[in-house]
Each structure stands twice: as C-alpha cells, then as structure tokens.
Amino acid sequence: MQNIEQEDFSDIEAMLEALRPVAPSERFFAAVANALDAPENTLRLPAARGHALRFPLRRTATSAALLIGAVGLGVWGYSSLAEKSGGNAVVAGTGHENSVCDFHLVNMERRVNSVTPVGFVAGEDGSVSRRVRYSYTDESWWKDDETGAAFVELRPHEEIVSMELAVY
C-alpha cells in the first residue's frame, strides 16, 4: 500500500476562516425594491376603488395554485375510487361462476416506469425550462373477502412536466 501525502491547505483554511460576511448595501435593497415594483409584477383586480394588488412572486403563486389543484384532483379521484369499490362482478374461472362478488379496494400503488428528458423550452421572459416525460402505472388490488376472489387493475399513463432551470 502506498503512502500518499496529503496536500497542506492550512493557509487557505486560515484565510477562509478569517472571512466575515458583509451586510447588503442600500444599492442592493433599492435594486430589489425596483424589481419587485416593476409593472409586470402588478395585478389589477376589478375593485370599486381601483387599488392594485402587488404580487411579485407570480411563478410561485402559479406553482402553488397548480399544486393545490393537482392535490384536489388526486383527492377527488381517490374518493371516487372508494365510492366505486363496492361494485359487483361475476367471477369466472374461480369456482364461483354463479356467485356475485362484492369487491373492495385493498391497496393502490403508483409506479414510475420511465423518466425521459424531452428538451428545453425558452420563455419570452428569458426563463429556460426543461421538459421531462414521466410514465406511470397505477396498480389497484381488489378483493372479495367472502369468496376470496381478487384481481389487479393496471392503468398506465404519462405526463410531461416543465421544470424551470436557474439561469445565471
């Protein structure tokens, strides 16, 4: 086994330890305030007094609204599955051909099949987004406790997601 000497970085470490943070200047705060007060960051609501609502975080608000909508759709979809779980079916080939089964949802799982980068998209405001295609399979396990009959339902789907990239 070779004896490898490590480089001595103690002088660089000492210089880094001596560094102290500097408070942001007034010029910095003024530049941030000007960017936040820019006309494209103002949303006018139809109000009797004509006041303007300042909203500097458009992308954050849009993302939050889409997230809330997606969660709401997911909850609604899951609740509609639970309502349908009491369905009846005739099971063939299980020895219960003449019986009616009352299936209920046992488990539900989402598996990611693939993640594929699609490309890049440049926005009018100079932003750059990367588009990614996700392919999923939703797997639902259904069972009838009385007869022991069970089946697995597979539902493939895919979606394309735009992920904003930081531009420096």
Side-chain angles (χ1 to χ4, degrees):
M1 180 167 205
Q2 295 178 342
N3 187 7
I4 301 173
E5 291 186 33
Q6 293 185 352
E7 295 184 37
D8 184 23
F9 293 107
S10 59
D11 54 338
I12 295 174
E13 290 174 355
M15 287 190 296
L16 288 172
E17 288 175 359
L19 291 176
R20 297 292 169 242
V22 177
S25 66
E26 290 299 321
R27 182 175 161 220
F28 171 77
F29 287 116
V32 170
N34 287 339
L36 292 176
D37 291 336
E40 64 267 7
N41 289 335
T42 302
L43 173 66
R44 290 216 176 262
L45 296 177
R49 299 181 202 173
H51 291 287
L53 174 67
R54 301 244 180 231
F55 199 73
L57 306 172
R58 290 185 310 191
R59 289 188 184 117
T60 305
T62 304
S63 299
L66 288 173
L67 179 65
I68 290 170
V71 169
L73 284 174
V75 169
W76 173 75
Y78 186 75
S79 67
S80 69
L81 273 179
E83 291 172 5
K84 294 178 185 175
S85 65
N88 294 329
V90 175
V91 181
T94 61
H96 303 286
E97 284 79 9
N98 296 328
S99 65
V100 175
C101 297
D102 188 22
F103 288 97
H104 66 277
L105 185 64
V106 176
N107 194 6
M108 198 162 110
E109 184 178 313
R110 173 173 283 177
R111 287 184 288 154
V112 177
N113 296 332
S114 67
V115 178
T116 309
V118 177
F120 295 94
V121 177
E124 293 178 7
D125 60 350
S127 64
V128 178
S129 298
R130 180 179 189 175
R131 296 178 63 194
V132 180
R133 175 179 283 126
Y134 290 92
S135 173
Y136 301 103
T137 300
D138 289 337
E139 217 173 281
S140 302
W141 290 276
W142 299 86
K143 185 176 181 182
D144 180 16
D145 291 331
E146 186 176 316
T147 63
F151 71 93
V152 177
E153 176 184 16
L154 300 173
R155 289 188 181 191
H157 66 278
E158 64 180 35
E159 63 185 349
I160 296 178
V161 177
S162 292
M163 299 169 35
E164 190 167 331
L165 300 175
V167 178
Y168 300 101

